[in-house]
Amino acid sequence: MAGEWNVDGTPVSDWTGGAGQALMYASAATVASDPGTRDDFLRLAWDFPVTTGEWRYYHSSLHMLGLLHLAGKYKVYDIGGEPSAGTAVYADGLAPGWRADAFSGTVDTAVTSPAYGGSGTSVGLTPGGGWDALSFSTAQPVAASGISRVVLRVHGGSSGTRQLQLMVNPASDGSGSWGTRVPIDAPAGTWTEFAVPLSDLGGPSAVGSLAVQDRTGQVAPAFHVDDVRLS
């Protein structure tokens, strides 16, 4: 595919534009209304070889960013250290300094299906009793002054709708007040994103723990959580 065009649609030369341009075309084509056009660009991106030679840095950078976008994995990645405002709590794995637990059930932090974006992993809870919860906590609470909301995606399992509630605690061990519980409903078979302001969660001074809890009081089916972050 040509990389330079005249305004009448004819190619200027046989220069292809390289991997960077091919991947940017494909990223833009994801919103195309014509499936054939969209598929052609996606196939071009998938088949395009890795750039070598003089322009490898520029085109390979765009190649990588394009593939991340097409895979649904273009996001902020924590490179280590204590958790800080605006970083992930869980994104295909627990961020450094964070741990996952259950009030009474079983937690799996490396579930491959379902996983948001169709690849990577999610964290799942198989409840052990009524009011069970999947919780995330850190030894170094994050000051509320640096964040405004809790964002997460929840998969409701194989059938029905999981009736849950989100809550936060300023203490890492859960000894503080859990504040205001905010109801969130997660339908089966799909990922639903929730972005809940800290003000709706009781306005805690810090986030040491956060929990996604069943609110029915019954032993509920398993559910999964992914892409959890403070922003």
Side-chain angles (χ1 to χ4, degrees):
M1 177 173 292
E4 294 179 302
W5 303 83
N6 293 309
V7 293
D8 63 0
T10 57
V12 173
S13 68
D14 59 0
W15 177 65
T16 65
Q21 188 159 331
L23 268 294
M24 294 303 99
Y25 282 155
S27 297
T30 57
V31 297
S33 58
D34 176 27
T37 299
R38 182 177 63 244
D39 291 349
D40 286 344
F41 280 110
L42 292 175
R43 190 172 296 107
L44 173 68
W46 183 256
D47 292 339
F48 216 98
V50 175
T51 303
T52 58
E54 182 180 2
W55 300 105
R56 64 187 182 279
Y57 179 83
Y58 175 75
H59 286 294
S60 294
S61 295
L62 292 179
H63 198 157
M64 177 190 69
L65 294 173
L67 289 175
L68 284 172
H69 173 77
L70 295 173
K73 296 297 182 180
Y74 194 97
K75 64 180 84 171
V76 174
Y77 288 86
D78 192 342
I79 61 174
E82 293 296 334
S84 59
T87 61
V89 174
Y90 183 95
D92 291 338
L94 289 163
W98 287 89
R99 66 180 184 272
D101 300 289
F103 284 8
S104 63
T106 302
V107 173
D108 186 346
T109 60
V111 179
T112 56
S113 181
Y116 177 68
S119 61
T121 61
S122 68
V123 55
L125 171 68
T126 301
W131 307 104
D132 201 1
L134 170 63
S135 66
F136 299 91
S137 57
T138 174
Q140 183 64 45
V142 181
S145 59
I147 56 178
S148 62
R149 60 182 184 167
V150 178
V151 183
L152 72 162
R153 289 182 168 89
V154 184
H155 190 286
S158 59
S159 63
T161 296
R162 302 285 74 75
Q163 298 178 54
L164 308 168
Q165 56 190 12
L166 177 67
M167 52 190 184
V168 299
N169 195 308
S172 298
D173 60 1
S175 60
S177 171
W178 281 103
T180 304
R181 278 84 164 162
V182 174
I184 55 176
D185 291 337
T190 189
W191 288 97
T192 303
E193 183 180 57
F194 301 95
V196 183
L198 279 186
S199 57
D200 291 353
L201 293 161
S205 59
V207 177
S209 306
L210 62 95
V212 183
Q213 182 183 41
D214 168 71
R215 71 174 196 271
T216 68
Q218 307 299 314
V219 181
F223 64 87
H224 297 81
V225 175
D226 202 350
D227 196 19
V228 185
R229 61 192 186 276
L230 307 175
S231 67

